């Protein structure tokens, strides 16, 4: 059975989206249609990426990373995964800017994922990895 995990929306994605919306509104107000259209398209791509990013652990031993309709799927064989760990980006005191799951696979290949339920995601990957090995 396939298990799908949705991505978390990070605070700086929300700020970026708000900034794009404000710039688009300002450009429409100033009657600059070409640049307003450009920023509106950027906003559509960002919203698509935020809403449709998923991580699927398949029953046939693959991790599929899907980042929306405008990008390609990335498939990683679970047997290739070398390590799975929780990681933090830069920390300021006790506050971390972003918490993510770092997956190391293949030869010097890494991917950072942001599943909503991190612990379930890690446990499922480790279970599938132990079943393979």
């Amino acid at each position: 059975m396939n298990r799908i995990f949705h991505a978390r929306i990070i605070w700086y994605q929300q700020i970026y989206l708000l900034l794009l919306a404000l710039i688009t509104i300002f450009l429409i107000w100033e009657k600059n249609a070409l640049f307003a259209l450009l920023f509106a398209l950027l906003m559509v791509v960002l919203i698509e990426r935020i809403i449709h990013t998923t991580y699927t652990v398949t029953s046939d031993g693959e991790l599929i990373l899907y980042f929306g309709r405008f990008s390609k799927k990335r498939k990683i064989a679970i047997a290739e995964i070398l390590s799975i760990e929780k990681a933090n980006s830069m920390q300021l005191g006790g506050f971390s800017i972003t918490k993510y799951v770092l997956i190391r696979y293949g030869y010097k290949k890494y991917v950072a994922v942001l599943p909503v339920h991190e612990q379930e995601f890690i446990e499922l990957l480790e279970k599938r990895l132990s079943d393979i090995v």
Side-chain angles (χ1 to χ4, degrees):
M1 184 172 90
N2 294 347
R3 177 79 160 95
I4 298 174
F5 293 89
H6 292 277
R8 242 185 6 243
I9 299 173
I10 308 169
W11 62 272
Y12 56 79
Q13 289 175 330
Q14 294 173 348
I15 291 173
Y16 183 57
L17 186 61
L18 180 65
L19 184 65
L20 282 176
L22 291 175
I23 291 172
T24 304
I25 291 169
F26 174 75
L27 289 170
I28 291 171
W29 186 271
E30 290 294 317
K31 297 179 178 130
N32 196 340
L34 186 61
F35 286 115
L37 180 64
L38 176 71
F39 278 91
L41 286 174
L42 283 172
M43 210 165 48
V44 167
V45 169
L46 179 65
I47 291 170
E48 166 66 26
R49 190 170 178 121
I50 288 173
I51 291 174
H52 291 111
T53 297
T54 58
Y55 315 113
T56 307
V57 181
T58 65
S59 57
D60 55 334
E62 284 189 328
L63 172 63
I64 300 172
L65 309 173
Y66 180 67
F67 299 106
R69 296 180 189 121
F70 301 122
S71 61
K72 289 178 22 177
K73 290 180 185 178
R74 186 187 306 177
K75 293 182 180 182
I76 301 170
I78 293 178
E80 290 182 16
I81 294 176
L82 301 173
S83 68
I84 306 161
E85 60 188 58
K86 284 186 180 182
N88 297 320
S89 63
M90 183 176 68
Q91 288 187 329
L92 302 170
F95 177 72
S96 153
I97 293 179
T98 305
K99 295 179 181 179
Y100 56 93
V101 176
L102 184 66
I103 299 173
R104 187 169 65 99
Y105 66 99
Y107 179 72
K108 291 189 179 182
K109 293 182 182 177
Y110 298 90
V111 66
V113 294
L114 299 158
V116 174
H117 303 288
E118 285 182 356
Q119 195 58 39
E120 287 180 37
F121 180 74
I122 292 170
E123 288 172 1
L124 181 62
L125 276 179
E126 287 176 345
K127 181 179 180 285
R128 296 278 170 94
L129 193 57
S130 67
D131 290 345
I132 291 172
V133 175

